[in-house]
Amino acid sequence: AQSVAQPEDQVNVAEGNPLTVKCTYSVSGNPYLFWYVQYPNRGLQFLLKYITGDNLVKGSYGFEAEFNKSQTSFHLKKPSALVSDSALYFCAVRQGLPSNTGKLIFGQGTTLQVKP
Amino acid sequence: SAVISQKPSRDICQRGTSLTIQCQVDSQVTMMFWYRQQPGQSLTLIATANQGSEATYESGFVIDKFPISRPNLTFSTLTVSNMSPEDSSIYLCSVEISVYGYTFGSGTRLTVV
């Protein structure tokens, strides 16, 4: 079975400071990992994904994430936080090939609060 | 990338009634997924819907409560049956598109009174 853990319900950072939102996963075989953001009363927005290749993945809005296989982690980072980054962030995992289920399983979400 | 039209966007329903949510995709897709997002919580997978076969339900979800139809490769419906206030949630459909990306519908915000 696949699962995702986001150990922090909320992360608070000051504007301009670096931010990290943590994610660990459990899946058989190679994982495909994703980060999504959800603003209040709006749908999910895709930020970035790791399928294969370079462990450091760059995505939308200046976000990046580092895949660490030994620690089964995929933490989301940004060098300088903006107040507008305040939102709910979800990490998700899909079981990689040869699995063909296509199921995307989400973590419980982390609320990011960036203060001016 | 695929575009999903999900209807209705929101509804307020009486307990004991049923609501059917529709998702229309602008391209043919093999699998469609239905999720529930309870207030302040994460997305929980309800079931996977393949065309031409019965949906596969996740633990804790049953067909009698959440019947799903998948009549063709571009359309699916989820019915929330015999609703109670605990069913108040956002329901989303999703499809997997190429290169392991996913598209999500805009969601149906359901309130049961």
Side-chain angles (χ1 to χ4, degrees), chain A residues 34 38 49 94 97 102 104 107, chain B residues 35 37 42 96 99-100 102:
Chain A
F34 302 78
Q38 187 177 44
K49 67 181 177 185
R94 179 204 191 278
L97 293 177
L104 191 63
Chain B
Y35 289 87
Q37 186 177 21
S42 183
E96 185 178 30
V99 198
Y100 308 111
Y102 292 82

Side-chain angles (χ1 to χ4, degrees), chain B residues 6-11 19-22 91 106-109:
Chain B
Q6 183 172 345
K7 298 178 181 178
S9 58
R10 60 178 61 229
D11 207 340
L19 176 71
T20 295
I21 302 167
Q22 301 179 3
Y91 293 85
S106 53
T108 297
R109 185 179 296 271

Side-chain angles (χ1 to χ4, degrees), chain B residues 28-74:
Chain B
Q28 294 183 338
V29 293
T30 303
M31 287 182 283
M32 293 182 72
F33 306 93
W34 287 97
Y35 289 87
R36 180 177 71 183
Q37 186 177 21
Q38 293 176 301
Q41 298 197 24
S42 183
L43 283 77
T44 302
L45 183 64
I46 298 171
T48 302
N50 288 328
Q51 192 267 335
S53 62
E54 284 208 359
T56 303
Y57 289 82
E58 297 298 307
S59 176
F61 297 96
V62 295
I63 188 171
D64 289 347
K65 176 67 175 177
F66 298 101
I68 289 172
S69 77
R70 184 80 202 275
N72 56 53
L73 291 173
T74 63

Side-chain angles (χ1 to χ4, degrees), chain A residues 31-75:
Chain A
Y32 297 156
L33 295 155
F34 302 78
W35 276 101
Y36 289 87
V37 60
Q38 187 177 44
Y39 295 95
N41 299 315
R42 293 176 64 178
L44 280 174
Q45 295 183 30
F46 169 78
L47 283 179
L48 51 80
K49 67 181 177 185
Y50 170 83
I51 304 299
T52 186
D54 194 348
N55 289 343
L56 183 63
V57 179
K58 294 187 183 296
S60 307
Y61 313 119
F63 284 95
E64 59 188 29
E66 185 165 13
F67 171 62
N68 188 317
K69 188 172 184 177
S70 63
Q71 297 185 4
T72 61
S73 66
F74 189 57
H75 301 331

Side-chain angles (χ1 to χ4, degrees), chain B residues 68-90:
Chain B
I68 289 172
S69 77
R70 184 80 202 275
N72 56 53
L73 291 173
T74 63
F75 187 78
S76 179
T77 67
L78 170 76
T79 299
V80 186
S81 304
N82 188 25
M83 289 184 286
S84 66
E86 292 71 34
D87 294 319
S88 298
S89 297
I90 298 172

